[in-house]
Amino acid sequence: MKKIKGIVVLLLLIVSAALCAQQPIVFKLAFTDPPYLKIGDLQVLHHSVAGMVAFKAAVENMTQKRVVVENYYYGRLGDANENLRQILTGTLQGATPADGAVAPFYAGIQVFSIPYLFKNPLDAYNLWDGPVGKEIFEDMAKKSGLRVLAIYDNGGFRSFSNNRKVVQNASDMRGLKIRTMTIPVHMELVKALGAAPTPIAWLELYNALQTGVVDGQENSAATILGGSLQEVQKYYTLDEHFLGSAMIVTGEKWLRSLPPDIQDAIIKAGKIAEFAARGTSRANDSLALEEIMKRGVQVYFPTPSEKKSFSNAAQTPVIEWLKKNVDPLLVDKVLSAVR
């Protein structure tokens, strides 16, 4: 009787182990906003979500669903800061933060925010995908515990809008009150241009522009539409000071705990997601700019010399600030790689 019981227990253990072995690895991937953007009559996929969808398909295909990706939208798993902390504590596997959310965890990411660094998105892609970008992401994984799987532009270049006048060159910025995020490098840029940076929460920005608490703000055309800011802004100048980035990140420790073939599949899927997000961002940016013009916003396209006035006024003081707050060697490497 004891032998029979022993055999039964052994069989149960074997079956239990087999069932556990068959359980897929779950990769929960979080996004803080709705999955779609409204651009005119069109409802388009958000660029981060395009990356998430491509990532899910690639991971599950390459691992034969040994890894299952669960995409969560609308901030259901918390805001970007919470998501990154959850990754580091091991309760979440992936998130899609913008560079500003990553900065408190890895200050070096701010080297990509040198104003007027990129002339077009290809400059950014070449930097991110090249040896300097790879060096920075390896350093980020080592020092912060966050591994970048994909990086892409976050909806297009950020530019200035305001309600007071057409801004044609840097001198026209003087005296304007400009809403910024609570990101030091953004505030340093606005100060360097002679305007007054005023941090205001996103949800309060519409009312602040409507009531004149601030004269203007800085965002991409798609973001302006997303917040209906075209209703409370008259002028938009394409100075294109920052090409903000967003990322798909995971935990370095968690990733390296996986079998090598699954690690490889997740890393390759990140590159596939990158292509999807970059292409979607480019398309949505073009559609959004056309739409805000249709909605009555006066868009100004600076001449090359006018654009130069912005970079001449802002680059040196912001670079000096960055060199005091992040590794100056990283700043120099980024400048050399782009120039």
Side-chain angles (χ1 to χ4, degrees):
M1 193 68 177
K2 287 182 179 179
K3 286 184 179 180
I4 293 173
K5 285 182 178 179
I7 292 171
V8 170
V9 169
L10 180 62
L11 287 173
L12 287 172
L13 288 171
I14 292 171
V15 170
S16 177
L19 288 173
C20 288
Q22 293 171 5
Q23 291 297 313
I25 297 166
V26 175
F27 189 114
K28 292 182 179 179
L29 181 55
F31 179 59
T32 58
D33 294 308
Y36 294 97
L37 298 171
K38 187 84 165 83
I39 300 179
D41 296 328
L42 298 175
Q43 192 176 46
V44 299
L45 201 62
H46 191 285
H47 46 276
S48 284
V49 175
M52 293 169 71
V53 171
F55 180 79
K56 173 180 171 65
V59 167
E60 293 181 355
N61 181 49
M62 285 190 282
T63 64
Q64 294 80 49
K65 287 207 169 183
R66 288 162 64 202
V67 179
V68 174
V69 178
E70 296 178 354
N71 288 335
Y72 292 86
Y73 311 125
Y74 300 103
R76 286 171 56 197
L77 301 184
D79 63 21
N81 184 278
E82 290 171 328
N83 290 163
L84 293 174
R85 294 191 183 282
Q86 288 164 356
I87 287 174
L88 294 176
T89 58
T91 57
L92 182 65
Q93 291 72 48
T96 52
D99 48 8
V102 172
F105 296 85
Y106 179 68
I109 202 72
Q110 295 176 97
V111 296
F112 296 140
S113 294
I114 296 170
Y116 308 103
L117 179 65
F118 304 124
K119 300 295 185 292
N120 58 66
L122 285 178
D123 288 345
Y125 302 160
N126 289 336
L127 175 64
W128 296 336
D129 298 343
V132 174
K134 290 176 182 176
E135 178 184 339
I136 290 170
F137 299 138
E138 287 299 324
D139 189 56
M140 176 174 161
K142 180 180 177 182
K143 290 179 178 176
S144 73
L146 297 170
R147 164 67 62 177
V148 175
L149 297 174
I151 183 168
Y152 43 91
D153 60 292
N154 195 16
F157 278 102
R158 304 177 76 95
S159 290
F160 290 109
S161 69
N162 82 96
N163 273 327
R164 284 176 51 186
K165 58 184 175 181
V166 176
V167 170
Q168 298 181 331
N169 54 52
S171 63
D172 292 331
M173 291 290 295
R174 290 174 191 156
L176 292 176
K177 292 181 292 182
I178 301 294
R179 177 266 180 180
T180 67
M181 293 185 286
T182 52
I183 298 176
V185 70
H186 288 205
M187 299 173 74
E188 291 298 320
L189 164 68
V190 173
K191 283 195 287 186
L193 293 172
T198 308
I200 293 175
W202 171 252
L203 293 178
E204 299 170 11
L205 178 55
Y206 184 100
N207 186 61
L209 292 168
Q210 188 177 46
T211 59
V213 172
V214 287
D215 301 308
Q217 57 88 54
E218 52 86 41
N219 264 305
S220 67
T223 303
I224 287 172
L225 279 177
S228 300
L229 304 185
Q230 77 283 350
E231 298 174 359
V232 289
Q233 292 282 266
K234 296 177 182 176
Y235 310 108
Y236 188 47
T237 299
L238 295 180
D239 70 295
E240 299 180 328
H241 46 271
F242 293 135
L243 186 67
S245 62
M247 300 156 233
I248 295 177
V249 300
T250 191
E252 176 73 355
K253 184 178 179 180
W254 177 82
L255 180 66
R256 298 310 172 193
S257 72
L258 302 173
D261 63 321
I262 289 182
Q263 289 184 44
D264 185 59
I266 288 173
I267 290 168
K268 286 179 178 176
K271 298 305 293 182
I272 292 170
E274 207 167 64
F275 287 119
R278 289 178 184 181
T280 305
S281 180
R282 296 290 85 243
N284 289 353
D285 185 43
S286 297
L287 290 170
L289 186 60
E290 291 179 7
E291 185 61 25
I292 66 170
M293 287 191 280
K294 288 179 185 176
R295 300 285 189 93
V297 176
Q298 186 175 333
V299 177
Y300 184 75
F301 296 79
T303 66
S305 62
E306 289 168 340
K307 268 200 170 184
K308 189 70 175 173
S309 74
F310 285 97
S311 59
N312 286 344
Q315 267 201 340
T316 298
V318 175
I319 288 170
E320 289 176 354
W321 181 90
L322 279 169
K323 286 188 173 183
K324 292 176 183 176
N325 290 274
V326 301
D327 184 350
L329 291 177
L330 281 185
V331 177
D332 287 335
K333 285 180 180 180
V334 165
L335 288 169
S336 296
V338 175
R339 289 172 178 168

